[in-house]
Amino acid sequence: SAEFNQQTAFADAVARGVLYAVRSRAQVINMSLGYSIHDDSELMRQMVALAQRQGLLVVAAAGNQASKSPVYPCRYAGVVCVASFSAD
């Protein structure tokens, strides 16, 4: 049984959604969300890798904080990272 970790709880919940998309034979996973490396989880990394191995296109937001800090899962290899140039 996996131990609950409040810091990674959000990423773990999203990871379960990624697994649902894989099992449902989705073709694209779009995640309009992001979080810091401190909130990332091994489960999320594994589920995104599984989705990619199954041929799904994984898209994630670059973030909304105008920060130079990396945003996950956008930072994962092979994930299409989407950003905006201006507020419009």
Side-chain angles (χ1 to χ4, degrees):
S1 167
E3 188 175 315
F4 178 76
N5 180 336
Q6 186 160 351
Q7 190 159 355
T8 63
F10 178 74
D12 289 345
V14 175
R16 288 190 293 274
V18 172
L19 180 58
Y20 178 83
V22 170
R23 289 180 173 169
S24 298
R25 298 188 179 149
Q27 295 177 341
V28 177
I29 298 173
N30 179 45
M31 295 179 277
S32 297
L33 54 85
Y35 45 81
S36 75
I37 186 67
H38 305 292
D39 300 320
D40 195 23
S41 77
E42 182 60 30
L43 179 61
M44 182 63 173
R45 290 178 181 276
Q46 291 173 359
M47 293 303 102
V48 169
L50 173 66
Q52 291 170 329
R53 284 193 306 273
Q54 297 295 321
L56 279 74
L57 175 63
V58 180
V59 181
N64 293 319
Q65 288 74 33
S67 170
K68 292 182 181 181
S69 298
V71 176
Y72 293 82
C74 183
R75 182 86 165 127
Y76 296 166
V79 171
V80 176
C81 189
V82 179
S84 173
F85 183 78
S86 68
D88 296 333

